[in-house]
Amino acid sequence: MMVYNHQRSRLIGQPTRGKTARNRLRRSDVFLLLYAEELLRRQGEIYTQSFYVDLGYGAEAHTTLESAQRFRQINPALPVLGVEIDPARVATAKPYENAITQFRLGGFNIPLQPGESARIIRAFNVLRQYEEGQVAGAHYLLASQLVPGGLVLEGTSDPFGRVWVANLLRKRPLTGSETALEHEGIVFGTNFRWGFEPGIFQPVLPKNYIHRMRPGEAIHEFMEAWKEAARLSAPFKTFGLRHWFTASAHLLQQMGYAVELRDRYLRRGFLVWKFNQPKTLLPDKQLMEK
């Protein structure tokens, strides 16, 4: 996946390996159906041409088509756009197009046409190959292209989608026509096939966190607290991994972390850490001006 530059209308960067297995991102779809159902359902006005975007879908169009199938169970008219940097990958996907499913050449600057927008952008296993200093600019560029209230889910998964971690980025409407771009939290997802222990998530932390697992960093403190919560709640293993996972989340909240405790998330293996004070996203001028 590459970065598409507004000013020079050219693609910058390196393509991903593109080897995405079928159903690798199924659980990210399940999460979005829970977390962003209203956004997926919206129709009319600005949402008529507001896409769900699968950015960097890889050598084949599996993930985009799978998402379209799942999301259209709640919104049959949902426009879906798959975006890739490699012209050959786009050409391979073109036969799967229809009136509401499209594939286009592009990068972090989503190739939207006049009158179009994005309601949700998913970018998985894309930013890990970039430098940490480029992440903020990519996040800003993605989130800036959303409709007000729109969501970016950007993260990393293992090769089979068993465990993953993603950033939650939101375009917040303010007063009048003003908006704010915010980093509202992080979501950890597991299907429990690797068991459960918070350490399983560390190898798939997003690029903006993977190198910050050191004392004094917020992600390090959170992970250490979760490990302690898992240790203290270990007796719940007797009732199964989902019960242990849930019990650890409740202890995390008692430690002061704003984690979602609704069963609809926890029993499906999703731990959502919402920041008490969402971080405002600012443009990275070095990336934006390249």
Side-chain angles (χ1 to χ4, degrees), residues 106-128:
F108 291 120
N109 187 350
I110 307 300
L112 296 170
Q113 299 174 1
E116 296 177 341
S117 62
R119 65 178 75 193
I120 296 175
I121 302 171
R122 179 182 66 191
F124 258 64
N125 307 306
V126 172
L127 278 169
R128 285 295 289 270

Side-chain angles (χ1 to χ4, degrees), residues 3 39 60 68 96 111 119 135 138-139 155 162-163 200 202 217 222 234 244 246 273 277 281:
V3 177
L39 197 53
E60 298 184 73
Y96 297 101
R119 65 178 75 193
V135 173
H139 282 175
R162 291 166 291 198
V163 294
I200 66 175
Q202 287 182 206
E217 295 283 356
F222 176 84
W244 184 21
T246 298
W273 175 24
Q277 295 183 327
L281 303 176

